[in-house]
Amino acid sequence: MRIAVYPGSFDPVTLGHGDIIERTAKMFDKVIIGVLNNKAKSPLFSVEERVNMLREVTAGLPNVEVQSFEGLLIDFLRKNSARVIVRGLRAITDFEYELQMAQTNRVIAPEIDTIFLTTNLRYSYLSSSIVKEIAEYHGDISEFLHPMIAEKVREKLACRQQ
Ligand code: PNS
């Protein structure tokens, strides 16, 4: 069985992530979305909320599952018998960080490969951070997020601003 892991923070999942997930699901028997539970960061959404949102937007993809993980990504892959990490590349600015992660992971886990999918041009500028910034200033985020996720971002920011 060919199993790939698509890891990230997904705070929140954007249409750019969704595009990578759909394309990856066509290439592998099983895709596990690994949501990083990074205690050092203070995300907008808890890890449980991020996992649930991803489960809702990927409900139509039977070979996709969502799990959270802590610690090293390669340990998460080994635990799930996965051999491939999938990452999206938006622009040259992503390249240096992505190459560093891929090379480091390959040194510590030579059996695991990272593959990169170029992001759909439509979403090549998109990031979760920019979407959150627009939402914070009450801008329109409907172009960038699944309608259900956009609603959750608005609700969360409204709670925080009270
Ligand atoms: O969406 P992000 O925040 O760009 O994803 C980064 C992620 C989760 C892929 C990366 O931070 C990661 O793999 N963290 C787990 C810790 C780890 O394995 N670090 C070593 C990577 S070289």
Side-chain angles (χ1 to χ4, degrees), residues 9 36 38-43 97:
S9 304
L36 180 66
N38 183 349
K39 299 212 163 106
K41 277 193 183 175
S42 47
Y97 170 61

Side-chain angles (χ1 to χ4, degrees), residues 46-116:
S46 70
V47 71
E48 292 81 15
E49 289 172 318
R50 285 178 277 145
V51 165
N52 287 336
M53 288 191 290
L54 274 155
R55 285 193 179 138
E56 287 190 49
V57 296
T58 59
L61 301 169
N63 63 334
V64 174
E65 65 174 60
V66 189
Q67 295 183 34
S68 62
F69 75 99
E70 283 178 31
L72 286 181
L73 176 59
I74 52 138
D75 290 337
F76 179 66
L77 269 94
R78 284 174 173 159
K79 198 181 95 195
N80 286 286
S81 310
R83 287 286 183 89
V84 177
I85 299 167
V86 175
R87 294 283 289 171
L89 270 186
R90 289 167 299 191
I92 192 74
T93 40
D94 282 338
F95 186 73
E96 205 169 320
Y97 170 61
E98 294 297 334
L99 186 69
Q100 184 186 26
M101 277 205 300
Q103 301 289 39
T104 310
N105 282 331
R106 194 147 163 72
V107 169
I108 52 181
E111 80 281 13
I112 291 171
D113 262 308
T114 302
I115 64 166
F116 297 100

Side-chain angles (χ1 to χ4, degrees), residues 49 106 124 129 137 142 160:
E49 289 172 318
R106 194 147 163 72
S124 58
S129 319
Y137 295 107
S142 58
R160 283 201 348 183

